[in-house]
Amino acid sequence: MTLSPPVAYRDDVEDILEGEDETVASINKTFDHVLETTATDYGRAVRAVHAKAHGIIEGRMTVLDGLPPELAQGLFATSGTYPVILRLSTNAGDILDDAISLPRGLAMKVVGVKGERLAGAEGETQDFVMVNGKVFQAKTANQFLRSLKGLALTTDRLDGTKKAVSTILRGVSAALKTLGVESSAINSLGGAPNVDPLGETYYSVTPFRYGDYIAKFSLAPVSDDLLELKGSIVDTDRRPDAIRETVQAEMKTRAPVWEFRVQLCRDLDKQPVEDSTKAWTEDEAPFVTVARIEAGPQDSWSDDKVASVDAGMRFSVWTGLSAHRPLGNINRARRLAYLHSSDFRQKYNRCPIHEPTKP
């Protein structure tokens, strides 16, 4: 199949919806309920989403040499090596028993990145925030707000009920998969398979500017010691932190390698900017490797990592280069929502959040 050329970025590829500011204000208000509830219960503020980390991994990213012009953009314009920090998590805003199975998240911070930055993006870092699914659960931020309000009411309540519901929804999700159907909505409510996060492939889900073009991103395991974990189910029976314990044990002996891949938009109708519930078909817009991430054996849950990363850092799609500006309604809503959450954390915890200059 002959691929269409990549679509050139233009300022008019985005379609600004009426009432976006009001939606963001409502999201922040809903986040406040989650943040205040969990801070009171835990005695410290945690993230409004992806509150529970399962591992923090230090490594290095090497941008490949000799990339073609359409891939040699932004951070990937020239070959080089950068320190990276990866945070593995699940998506709830409260710290749940791992028996409640949710989609996995991976946030990556690339350190020492030079270039023109997005407005308000401090430091010299580039963040990538991804999940182990190809689509977002809602088409617009307003639709996401409706489900968020329902989830906020269950924050830190009915833990036993959540476990039972999660068990039922995992069965529903598995049945749908036999029919070739993947439901991000069911997964987000507890129906996701309880997989080992080290074996998963992660996706940005939403699109971004990619220098002169438009793209989505992916991080895929390629080393044998990660590939053997693909689809591996974590035993959570009477182990509330089973995922963390599993990752910590595995990282002590493994040297993971991932590929960072770029999916260029080649047709705005087939690969829309404003609808993140629609996957970009890989036959028409394939993922192509632009960098490798490597990490050696390490303690993925040491005290210093938890203190510096889980408490002292934010991960946001709006932290980085102008060349990788987030696109679309969902990403526009994330800008102030992420900032709102991290500002609450640093004020409540009296712990400044900052961008690192080294691992």
Side-chain angles (χ1 to χ4, degrees):
M1 168 177 188
T2 302
L3 296 176
S4 301
V7 173
Y9 169 79
R10 310 184 311 269
D11 289 338
D12 64 356
V13 296
E14 293 185 277
D15 182 16
I16 310 299
L17 300 179
E18 184 178 350
E20 286 192 354
D21 291 344
E22 290 80 0
T23 297
V24 171
S26 294
I27 289 174
N28 287 343
K29 185 177 180 180
T30 307
F31 274 164
D32 281 340
H33 174 78
V34 176
L35 291 164
E36 290 164 4
T37 300
T38 53
T40 299
D41 289 345
Y42 307 148
R44 60 186 175 88
V46 297
R47 289 164 169 82
V49 291
H50 291 274
K52 187 172 187 178
H54 303 302
I56 296 164
I57 300 169
E58 293 181 88
R60 62 187 180 276
M61 169 190 275
T62 301
V63 177
L64 302 185
D65 195 14
L67 292 173
E70 67 270 18
L71 295 175
Q73 302 284 328
L75 168 61
F76 309 96
T78 58
S79 60
T81 301
Y82 302 88
V84 296
I85 301 162
L86 298 92
R87 180 182 185 266
L88 302 169
S89 63
T90 49
N91 67 358
D94 45 356
I95 299 175
L96 300 172
D97 188 305
D98 286 348
I100 302 166
S101 56
L102 296 163
R104 305 293 183 238
L106 184 148
M108 180 171 70
K109 190 177 291 289
V110 187
V111 182
V113 178
K114 307 289 186 180
E116 180 184 347
R117 298 188 65 74
L118 292 161
E122 301 173 353
E124 294 184 342
T125 56
Q126 175 68 51
D127 287 1
F128 297 97
V129 180
M130 295 173 275
V131 294
N132 63 333
K134 295 182 180 181
V135 298
F136 194 66
Q137 66 197 71
K139 183 176 179 179
T140 66
N142 194 43
Q143 291 176 1
F144 170 69
L145 173 61
R146 293 173 204 161
S147 61
L148 179 65
K149 286 180 177 179
L151 290 173
L153 295 175
T154 70
T155 298
D156 206 37
R157 292 183 181 179
L158 306 174
D159 199 54
T161 301
K162 289 179 183 178
K163 290 181 187 178
V165 170
S166 182
T167 300
I168 294 168
L169 290 178
R170 280 199 298 272
V172 173
S173 182
L176 288 174
K177 278 189 176 181
T178 64
L179 302 174
V181 177
E182 180 82 21
S183 173
S184 59
I186 288 176
N187 288 347
S188 69
L189 293 172
N194 224 337
V195 291
D196 187 327
L198 287 177
E200 293 297 284
T201 297
Y202 295 88
Y203 301 88
S204 68
V205 177
T206 53
F208 294 78
R209 183 172 181 176
Y210 192 70
D212 295 332
Y213 304 99
I214 301 164
K216 290 184 179 181
F217 307 123
S218 175
L219 188 71
V222 293
S223 57
D224 289 341
D225 56 1
L226 292 187
L227 291 174
E228 69 181 12
L229 299 174
K230 182 178 180 180
S232 176
I233 302 300
V234 178
D235 179 9
T236 60
D237 185 32
R238 286 175 287 188
R239 298 173 62 204
D241 298 316
I243 303 169
R244 177 190 304 169
E245 295 163 1
T246 299
V247 170
Q248 188 175 27
E250 291 167 344
M251 280 302 303
K252 287 181 178 179
T253 59
R254 297 173 193 249
V257 181
W258 296 267
E259 287 183 349
F260 189 87
R261 298 169 179 172
V262 170
Q263 185 183 31
L264 292 173
C265 174
R266 298 175 184 275
D267 185 321
L268 284 170
D269 292 326
K270 295 179 179 179
Q271 295 111 40
V273 165
E274 293 290 352
D275 185 359
S276 295
T277 64
K278 184 175 181 179
W280 293 5
T281 304
E282 293 181 40
D283 287 344
E284 298 169 337
F287 279 100
V288 182
T289 302
V290 295
R292 285 169 66 87
I293 290 90
E294 300 171 278
Q298 59 192 273
D299 185 353
S300 60
W301 200 252
S302 63
D303 290 343
D304 59 335
K305 286 182 181 179
V306 174
S308 64
V309 178
D310 215 37
M313 290 185 197
R314 66 164 63 90
F315 292 88
S316 169
V317 294
W318 286 92
T319 296
L321 300 177
S322 299
H324 301 309
R325 183 169 69 83
L327 302 175
N329 173 262
I330 297 296
N331 274 336
R332 291 192 297 274
R334 291 164 103 181
R335 183 172 180 266
L336 292 180
Y338 279 32
L339 185 61
H340 185 81
S341 174
S342 61
D343 281 350
F344 180 93
R345 280 198 297 129
Q346 65 180 349
K347 289 175 183 176
Y348 191 97
N349 295 335
R350 299 180 182 179
C351 175
I353 290 175
H354 61 279
E355 291 304 311
T357 57
K358 60 182 180 180

